[in-house]
Amino acid sequence: EVQLVESGGGSVQVGGSLKLSCAVSGFHYRDYCMGWYRQGPGKEREAVAAIDRYGDTDYADSVQGRFTVSQDNGKNTLYLQMNSLKPEDTAMYYCAALGFCMQAFQAFDVMTSWRGDDNYRGQGTQVTVSS
């Protein structure tokens, strides 16, 4: 059984930082991507960052230069370092594991549409940025 468990969310003031973690178990694909997406109140789902098995990354324009996605394969953990946080970053953040994904940029479409049977996600962790 594939399980993804996010942690690290919380409340922070504008300009602050948070680091999200996602512990992954039971996910075994040769070709895969991992990523983060978010959904704020009254907003559509937005893919924010992705990383493929080669370590290549991709980011949404809204977070480019502020967020960094990384993975520790030895610990089966995905991270999202978020700096210079803004009120518009307030959202529930979800970790995603996508099978048969070859390159990071492909993960964005999958996380937005959520098509396919080899995709998994966690329960989410709330991030609130206040001014």
Side-chain angles (χ1 to χ4, degrees):
E1 179 186 6
V2 178
Q3 288 190 326
L4 290 77
V5 180
E6 302 96 335
S7 61
S11 296
V12 64
Q13 291 191 326
V14 169
S17 298
L18 282 174
K19 186 173 184 177
L20 307 183
S21 299
C22 175
V24 183
S25 60
F27 181 72
H28 304 293
Y29 287 79
R30 189 180 73 97
D31 298 313
Y32 68 89
C33 300
M34 304 289 293
W36 294 90
Y37 68 90
R38 66 187 180 187
Q39 188 155 19
K43 297 183 179 180
E44 293 186 352
R45 183 188 306 156
E46 179 188 18
V48 297
I51 185 168
D52 61 32
R53 63 175 293 216
Y54 302 105
D56 292 331
T57 58
D58 203 2
Y59 298 93
D61 290 343
S62 58
V63 306
Q64 181 77 45
R66 300 188 298 121
F67 289 14
T68 303
V69 61
S70 61
Q71 58 186 352
D72 184 332
N73 292 330
K75 295 182 179 180
N76 294 327
T77 303
L78 180 73
Y79 302 100
L80 184 68
Q81 176 68 48
M82 305 185 295
N83 299 328
S84 302
L85 284 162
K86 305 175 181 180
E88 50 264 42
D89 294 319
T90 295
M92 185 72 81
Y93 284 72
Y94 298 88
C95 168
L98 314 174
F100 301 114
C101 177
M102 301 296 292
Q103 293 180 282
F105 75 90
Q106 296 173 320
F108 273 68
D109 180 62
V110 176
M111 286 192 285
T112 300
S113 65
W114 209 256
R115 286 191 299 265
D117 297 328
D118 297 286
N119 307 319
Y120 305 88
R121 53 189 164 188
Q123 294 300 307
T125 186
Q126 178 67 38
V127 171
T128 302
V129 184
S130 58
S131 57

